[in-house]
Amino acid sequence: MNKYGLAPLLLASIMGCEILADQSQKKTLDTHRQTVALAAPLPPSPQRIVAMGDLHGDVNVAVKALRLAGAIDVATHWIGGDMILVQTGDKIDRGDDDRQVIDLFERLRSEAQAVGGDVRTLSGNHETMNVYGDFRYVTEGSFQDFTNHVPISMEPIPDLPADQQARAAAFRPGGRYAKILAQHPIMLIVGNSAFVHGGIRREHVEAGIDTMNRQVAAWMLGKMERPDFVKGSDSPLWMRDYSETIPKEAACAALQDALSAMGAKRMVVGHTIQDQGINAACGDKVWRIDVGLSKYYKKNVIQVLEIKGDSLRVLSAPR
């Protein structure tokens, strides 16, 4: 069992609650500690974990992937029992169903927790992009969906088109959907597996995974400025070092270093589409699960990764 698997609230408090260099920032985080708690603790050794990659605003494929995982019935209600479902971020952008995808996973989390299971969705780079107002990948249909269904509860943003105001209000720090995303960590450990959108390096472990998660949550709640590590090629949300077809030797060494620091056996990442389907690299130390599920990518297969202890299996179905 991962010795860090029992850390309260996030299962990822690798370095404890380190003292931040900025003491005022630490005070802000401590003040809002209960507010930014991401979820109740998970069991240390779940019987079955299923990991799902990027969905990019396609609620229909999300439903199909959830059925493939054995998580939901035909009415989209939870039947996964004590299964832990982890979605590794990028639920939104590129498709029209962003709101519906987020709402679906939030409902399923409640249903799963009621029967001893859980649903954990991570924030990826596209979730954070929306919180800092980068709407380059938002479709007209998704803008309109927020206009039709999500009341504007904040002052309009100057110079932003009227048809984008509802989405901007929903995702800006302190907004309705930003508050939902604040409950989604950027890194998570379940059992002996570490989950992240892009990748985890030792420097992230040393900075404190719990601390980094809480900083992102506090930012999304409008309680502090955006952390610098949210952006950049070295960010846990953006890095692709472990996702190249054949990762460089240095990348595999860095991966092992990070895993050793966490006491984890493997890392599961999304972010970079794997044309060959879900696969492992670096001696099976990293599993890459972004297979372009969204219809935007026009792929023909749906895949999720099942983890039972040290047994891993790819579940596949045609679209």
Side-chain angles (χ1 to χ4, degrees):
M1 180 181 72
N2 186 314
K3 67 179 180 181
Y4 300 110
L6 288 174
L9 299 175
L10 300 178
L11 294 182
S13 186
I14 306 305
M15 304 299 291
C17 296
E18 297 83 4
I19 297 175
L20 301 178
D22 183 341
Q23 292 298 321
S24 63
Q25 193 174 69
K26 181 181 185 297
K27 181 178 179 181
T28 298
L29 289 176
D30 288 344
T31 300
H32 301 287
R33 176 163 296 276
Q34 295 304 316
T35 309
V36 303
L38 303 185
L42 293 170
S45 301
Q47 293 295 312
R48 183 171 184 255
I49 305 168
V50 175
M52 182 182 305
D54 305 32
L55 295 167
H56 282 298
D58 187 339
V59 73
N60 290 327
V61 81
V63 167
K64 291 177 181 179
L66 287 163
R67 288 178 181 166
L68 175 62
I72 60 172
D73 60 18
V74 294
T76 73
H77 288 294
W78 182 261
I79 57 170
D82 62 359
M83 177 177 74
I84 307 297
L85 179 79
V86 181
Q87 195 279 330
T88 54
D90 280 11
K91 297 171 287 299
I92 60 175
D93 284 350
R94 304 190 190 279
D96 294 338
D97 309 326
D98 294 349
R99 179 185 61 83
Q100 297 175 63
V101 171
I102 293 174
D103 289 353
L104 172 64
F105 278 88
E106 289 305 295
R107 173 172 61 81
L108 289 176
R109 182 171 70 170
S110 177
E111 293 181 7
Q113 290 177 349
V115 294
D118 213 337
V119 174
R120 296 295 175 94
T121 59
L122 307 185
S123 282
N125 60 302
H126 281 266
E127 280 82 10
T128 56
M129 287 169 69
N130 275 259
V131 177
Y132 59 72
D134 186 340
F135 297 149
R136 283 177 292 165
Y137 301 97
V138 180
T139 67
E140 291 185 13
S142 192
F143 276 126
Q144 190 62 48
D145 190 43
F146 277 82
T147 299
N148 292 341
H149 295 283
V150 182
I152 297 177
S153 58
M154 294 183 169
E155 289 295 319
I157 298 176
D159 302 323
L160 191 70
D163 64 346
Q164 298 183 17
Q165 291 286 348
R167 186 186 184 99
F171 281 102
R172 64 199 287 193
R176 175 175 168 183
Y177 276 80
K179 289 179 179 178
I180 293 174
L181 296 181
Q183 301 176 67
H184 302 174
I186 61 170
M187 295 174 276
L188 178 70
I189 298 175
V190 186
N192 54 20
S193 299
F195 298 87
V196 63
H197 186 62
I200 302 172
R201 293 182 174 181
R202 188 182 186 96
E203 64 198 63
H204 304 140
V205 182
E206 292 176 346
I209 289 178
D210 181 62
T211 296
M212 294 176 76
N213 282 333
R214 290 189 183 282
Q215 288 178 317
V216 171
W219 162 56
M220 290 180 170
L221 291 171
K223 306 299 184 181
M224 62 177 285
E225 295 298 313
R226 183 183 71 216
D228 290 340
F229 61 78
V230 165
K231 284 188 170 185
S233 60
D234 293 338
S235 166
L237 303 166
W238 287 91
M239 64 176 288
R240 301 182 190 271
D241 302 38
Y242 311 143
S243 297
E244 296 180 2
T245 302
I246 302 177
K248 296 180 175 63
E249 183 177 343
C252 289
L255 168 68
Q256 182 57 64
D257 194 26
L259 290 173
S260 296
M262 291 184 284
K265 289 187 175 181
R266 68 188 65 87
M267 195 177 298
V268 181
V269 303
H271 189 44
T272 303
I273 292 177
Q274 305 294 309
D275 289 329
Q276 69 271 46
I278 291 176
N279 67 90
C282 298
D284 293 351
K285 298 296 185 180
V286 61
W287 285 77
R288 294 88 69 85
I289 66 169
D290 180 6
V291 293
L293 288 172
S294 173
K295 64 184 177 184
Y296 174 87
Y297 294 107
K298 301 178 181 178
K299 302 293 184 179
N300 296 319
V301 67
I302 297 172
Q303 291 186 328
V304 297
L305 179 66
E306 178 186 74
I307 305 172
K308 292 182 176 181
D310 289 329
S311 176
L312 285 77
R313 180 169 65 122
V314 177
L315 307 180
S316 300
R319 282 189 67 93

